[in-house]
Amino acid sequence: DDDDDDDAKEEDTVKYAKQVINLGSGYDTSWWCLVGNNASSRDGKEESTKRSRVKWYDVDFAEVTRRKIKTIEKHEALREPLGVYHFERDGSELRSTSGYNLVSADLRDAEEIKEILTEARVDWQLPTLFVTEVALSYLNGEKCEKALRMCATFNGESSNSNNGSKDRNTGVANRAIVSYEAMRLNDEFGRRMCRNVREQRGTPFLALEEENGSRVDCASVEAMFLRCGFDSVKCRKMTECQDVLLSREEIYRAERLEMLDEREEFNLIQSHYGVSVAVRGDYFARKYRRWLMHSS
């Protein structure tokens, strides 16, 4: 309608520098943290927060996005940073003039995600960071790789554009993904973890259950990202992230928040989860250089 057209025109006046696409986002509130607009910090900076230079897309199932929209509507601190907003697709999606968008799609269908994100005005030529947090673990190997290939290579309708965000060597826009997921490690704990998730939650870790799959360990995860079109990748177990990448002060601060009685069990669980950073193009290769080059 006319209001939607006005919103689109207003958004077009904003020059975004980059964008984030959070796949399987659930009720994540990272965008609100990014713009820094909450009930305790309203000091006349509303216009700058509404004009964040990062365009953001949270993506999840329609039933999840509808519940998230209801929560947003109930709280002024969540509504206010959005600026002018409207709903689409039977109330399962939200578009705003602030750059925040809530999109309903099934991560198991990469072709659907391409179409829906393009309809939601994703600019495939901007440097784009994808984020997943225990979302790819629920996909089987084939569907997981299709989703990752989309993240690495899909350029929408504008693949012939000469936009400066494009990698000169490949013609593909700069992409990166930060992915926190489970790994089986082919040990008894990993197999038991898979059984418990299947039997107790009814939502199995399909990627981990494949005997020779792509989520067995860090090496298999890295091979998968490279196979799907990324130039460079580094996967680290959470135990390595804690022991190597965090300072003693940060570890001490975290331990003071909640004391751990079973340190060995905690470390065992942590060893079966990892953070992967994969990049394509020069822009993100520079941004994540330390992560990609750091040796444990």
Side-chain angles (χ1 to χ4, degrees):
D1 59 23
D2 292 341
D3 289 340
D4 293 354
D5 291 339
D6 290 342
D7 292 351
K9 289 176 183 176
E10 183 171 351
E11 185 186 19
D12 284 341
T13 65
V14 183
K15 299 299 182 183
Y16 295 101
K18 60 201 78 170
Q19 66 193 358
V20 175
I21 300 177
N22 189 349
L23 298 174
S25 59
Y27 304 101
D28 187 270
T29 57
S30 295
W31 179 80
W32 282 268
C33 296
L34 178 69
V35 299
N37 192 315
N38 54 47
S40 63
S41 63
R42 295 181 193 136
D43 55 3
K45 296 181 180 178
E46 295 158 12
E47 192 63 24
S48 64
T49 57
K50 285 194 288 185
R51 295 293 179 269
S52 167
R53 297 190 68 215
V54 176
K55 200 172 188 179
W56 193 287
Y57 292 84
D58 279 342
V59 183
D60 214 316
F61 290 116
E63 54 266 36
V64 175
T65 59
R66 285 193 179 96
R67 289 197 293 267
K68 188 169 184 176
I69 285 172
K70 288 182 179 178
T71 301
I72 291 171
E73 290 265 81
K74 289 179 181 177
H75 298 280
E76 183 183 359
L78 299 177
R79 292 195 312 272
E80 187 176 30
L82 295 175
V84 179
Y85 62 90
H86 67 272
F87 306 117
E88 295 186 7
R89 300 185 69 196
D90 298 323
S92 66
E93 298 194 348
L94 182 149
R95 307 278 188 272
S96 76
T97 56
S98 64
Y100 177 80
N101 301 271
L102 187 55
V103 177
S104 60
D106 187 341
L107 189 55
R108 296 170 295 185
D109 189 340
E111 294 304 313
E112 178 191 69
I113 293 178
K114 291 178 186 178
E115 180 180 342
I116 290 174
L117 287 176
T118 300
E119 290 176 357
R121 301 169 65 81
V122 164
D123 183 347
W124 293 105
Q125 303 311 307
L126 285 178
T128 301
L129 171 65
F130 290 86
V131 178
T132 74
E133 184 176 352
V134 195
L136 300 178
S137 300
Y138 294 104
L139 306 182
N140 65 32
E142 180 184 3
K143 292 179 179 178
C144 180
E145 293 202 12
K146 284 183 178 180
L148 288 176
R149 200 166 286 112
M150 175 204 71
C151 296
T153 66
F154 183 61
N155 258 351
E157 298 274 329
S158 305
S159 58
N160 294 322
S161 168
N162 247 352
N163 188 288
S165 77
K166 299 185 78 185
D167 180 357
R168 292 186 298 274
N169 298 321
T170 65
V172 174
N174 285 285
R175 301 288 169 80
I177 183 169
V178 175
S179 181
Y180 169 72
E181 302 286 344
M183 296 183 294
R184 189 176 78 247
L185 299 188
N186 277 342
D187 61 11
E188 180 53 34
F189 182 87
R191 288 187 282 270
R192 188 168 74 246
M193 179 176 70
C194 290
R195 287 197 302 270
N196 290 344
V197 170
R198 174 178 284 277
E199 294 170 4
Q200 296 178 14
R201 300 182 188 176
T203 52
F205 280 161
L206 295 178
L208 278 68
E209 292 184 348
E210 298 174 352
E211 278 302 317
N212 297 307
S214 55
R215 302 212 68 87
V216 175
D217 53 22
C218 282
S220 63
V221 170
E222 291 173 352
M224 173 183 62
F225 279 105
L226 295 175
R227 199 162 54 241
C228 290
F230 289 96
D231 297 335
S232 183
V233 58
K234 182 64 179 178
C235 174
R236 304 180 189 281
K237 294 180 184 179
M238 289 302 295
T239 45
E240 180 186 348
C241 293
Q242 173 182 300
D243 296 340
V244 176
L245 301 178
L246 295 182
S247 66
R248 291 180 179 271
E249 291 76 13
E250 181 63 18
I251 293 174
Y252 178 67
R253 186 194 67 81
E255 289 178 342
R256 288 180 62 194
L257 296 176
E258 183 174 352
M259 299 300 294
L260 293 175
D261 296 327
E262 301 292 339
R263 167 65 65 179
E264 290 185 5
E265 181 178 351
F266 174 76
N267 287 337
L268 186 60
I269 295 171
Q270 291 289 82
S271 71
H272 287 75
Y273 285 83
V275 175
S276 301
V277 176
V279 303
R280 178 163 184 156
D282 295 339
Y283 177 84
F284 285 111
R286 292 192 299 269
K287 293 291 184 181
Y288 288 108
R289 181 177 59 85
R290 291 184 63 188
W291 174 276
L292 294 168
M293 295 182 64
H294 195 286
S295 178
S296 58

